[in-house]
Amino acid sequence: MTYPVLSVWWHLIVLALLPWLAYSYTLWHGGWVSDDHEGIEKFDGKLQRPISFHNILKQIRWYIGRIHKEGKWAQVPRPHHRLSLYLGSGIGVLLYLFLSTLVSHEIAFITTALFLIHPTGVQALGWISGIGYSLGFFFCMAAFNVAYLTTQCGWLTTPLGTMAALALFGVVQYAAIHAMFSTIGATFILAFLGYWPFAILTGVLACLGYARTLKTAVELRAKEFERQQMGACTKFYPRKVMVIFKTIAYYVALSIWPKSLGLFHVFNYHYELPKIELEDTWFWAGVVLCIGMLSTFFWAPFPVQLAAVWFLAFLVTFFNWITANQFVSERYGWYSSLAVCLIAASYLPVWVLMFVLGLSLMRTWVHLPTFDDALSFYQSNIFNYPN
């Protein structure tokens, strides 16, 4: 039975509007917080070095702002929030189209809806400086669709078609990696789905195009962590495996029950040695969860397998092999939260899904006022403001 085309259009319309419903508060109340001040508000219009995706985007924003009716973008926060919502709409459309090639349209629709309003996305879509996460995912989903369409259209059956397909995919995926390095997780997902040429190209782009920049960033952060007597977290050694399992368990818990949101999370914030490298409940939970996710390849249906691969692939750069920024953050786990959304959409009854959608939307709305101004944002640091 052919799925009604009209229903697909309704799905696309709803998903395009959903980010505006969830995050419209930021258009009227969202202000400058944290990195927004130095990175955008006070930007003087001069192209910064090194020339990177973020610096070029900043430059484009400034030029657009010169003719914007609300004044320069570097002085008015609302257009920046609007840009994040446009990206949210694009993500909704592209993610739905790609998932529809893997699961039913209904499951793809519910999964995408749950993902767009999932509370772990508040920093990616509600915080101006979090645009790298939404931008990276937008390009990554565009690349996934390019891989699917070029394969289905038979481009890979000829040498010239293969070159054209890989070139088009490479441009889009390169933009994704430069916007957010964690999109290298696409390598594992594309390989799992059988898109091997695109998976290999993603890995090559990550190694050639961004590895050096990442190394420089880690070295800069390492000096700051050593100054705070936390230098051990910036190095990898065997006992770091304990930390990795704990990190995985925490993100699973955060995806299912996003109670703790904010600038900093309490979980192992101070990297207390030797406690953080000892066995505890979080460690064993991580071990069990990893065994469970890896074992899905032997017994689970396709949606569960895809969810397991998706979760681990997009989280792999945030396992705390080395810690070059915050130990954990909800924005780090946003991409991976789609795994929970997919399983929920595939197996929960409709009435439970409606309840989860409402609960997620309310949790997101409750947190949005923390982006009103710098004070509200820093008070979302639940380590210093536990109440």
Side-chain angles (χ1 to χ4, degrees):
M1 179 178 177
T2 303
Y3 194 78
V5 176
L6 183 61
S7 297
V8 174
W9 280 107
W10 275 114
H11 285 172
L12 292 173
I13 292 171
V14 170
L15 293 173
L17 294 176
L18 191 56
W20 297 81
L21 170 66
Y23 290 94
S24 59
Y25 176 93
T26 60
L27 293 176
W28 310 106
H29 303 281
W32 302 111
V33 298
S34 189
D35 296 344
D36 299 345
H37 294 286
E38 293 297 327
I40 302 174
E41 183 190 14
K42 299 178 182 179
F43 181 55
D44 58 6
K46 297 178 181 179
L47 182 59
Q48 297 178 344
R49 297 293 194 275
I51 296 178
S52 66
F53 192 89
H54 286 283
N55 288 336
I56 292 174
L57 176 63
K58 193 183 299 182
Q59 191 75 12
I60 294 173
R61 283 178 165 185
W62 186 82
Y63 278 115
I64 295 175
R66 295 180 66 182
I67 58 174
H68 198 277
K69 65 181 181 180
E70 296 180 77
K72 292 183 178 180
W73 277 35
Q75 298 173 352
V76 181
R78 184 180 298 174
H80 296 276
H81 286 295
R82 192 180 296 130
L83 176 60
S84 294
L85 297 188
Y86 283 132
L87 287 171
S89 295
I91 288 170
V93 170
L94 292 171
L95 177 59
Y96 169 76
L97 291 175
F98 180 70
L99 288 178
S100 295
T101 68
L102 304 174
V103 294
S104 70
H105 289 275
E106 293 91 341
I107 292 177
F109 173 69
I110 296 297
T111 300
T112 305
L114 285 169
F115 177 74
L116 288 174
I117 63 174
H118 196 283
T120 56
V122 292
Q123 290 184 355
L125 293 172
W127 180 21
I128 293 173
S129 292
I131 193 173
Y133 293 86
S134 53
L135 200 63
F137 200 71
F138 172 84
F139 282 119
C140 188
M141 291 304 101
F144 278 14
N145 280 280
V146 167
Y148 170 77
L149 290 173
T150 53
T151 301
Q152 292 299 309
C153 292
W155 287 28
L156 301 185
T157 57
T158 65
L160 184 60
T162 300
M163 291 176 61
L166 292 176
L168 179 58
F169 173 86
V171 169
V172 181
Q173 186 59 29
Y174 190 70
I177 293 172
H178 265 271
M180 184 49 56
F181 187 67
S182 61
T183 55
I184 64 169
T187 303
F188 306 103
I189 297 171
L190 291 168
F192 169 73
L193 296 175
Y195 297 114
W196 281 100
F198 302 101
I200 294 171
L201 180 56
T202 300
V204 171
L205 290 173
C207 294
L208 297 181
Y210 214 67
R212 183 176 179 181
T213 303
L214 180 65
K215 180 176 181 293
T216 301
V218 170
E219 289 174 349
L220 290 173
R221 293 298 300 175
K223 294 179 181 178
E224 177 63 21
F225 275 69
E226 287 175 2
R227 187 181 66 82
Q228 301 175 27
Q229 298 182 345
M230 295 168 59
C233 67
T234 64
K235 301 178 179 65
F236 180 76
Y237 44 90
R239 291 200 66 83
K240 270 293 187 73
V241 174
M242 312 289 284
V243 179
I244 292 170
F245 282 122
K246 293 180 184 183
T247 302
I248 293 172
Y250 183 80
Y251 279 115
V252 170
L254 187 66
S255 297
I256 297 174
W257 187 250
K259 175 185 176 183
S260 299
L261 302 176
L263 179 58
F264 298 113
H265 291 228
V266 175
F267 184 74
N268 290 323
Y269 176 70
H270 290 297
Y271 206 88
E272 300 175 17
L273 291 171
K275 178 182 176 182
I276 194 172
E277 296 174 359
L278 298 177
E279 297 176 9
D280 59 11
T281 304
W282 284 110
F283 166 75
W284 288 112
V287 171
V288 172
L289 286 167
C290 282
I291 293 174
M293 283 187 271
L294 294 175
S295 70
T296 58
F297 295 104
F298 301 100
W299 60 269
F302 176 76
V304 178
Q305 292 181 3
L306 177 60
V309 174
W310 193 289
F311 185 88
L312 293 174
F314 278 123
L315 198 62
V316 68
T317 55
F318 299 120
F319 277 176
N320 286 308
W321 310 88
I322 56 175
T323 304
N325 206 334
Q326 293 170 229
F327 189 81
V328 292
S329 175
E330 60 262 28
R331 64 184 183 274
Y332 298 166
W334 184 44
Y335 297 174
S336 293
S337 69
L338 185 133
V340 174
C341 300
L342 176 59
I343 293 176
S346 300
Y347 299 106
L348 292 181
V350 174
W351 68 270
V352 177
L353 287 172
M354 294 303 101
F355 176 76
V356 172
L357 278 166
L359 197 64
S360 296
L361 190 58
M362 286 188 290
R363 180 66 185 95
T364 297
W365 281 345
V366 166
H367 191 70
L368 289 181
T370 64
F371 298 101
D372 286 358
D373 50 50
L375 178 61
S376 299
F377 187 69
Y378 280 102
Q379 284 181 336
S380 71
N381 175 356
I382 61 173
F383 185 82
N384 291 330
Y385 301 90
N387 294 323

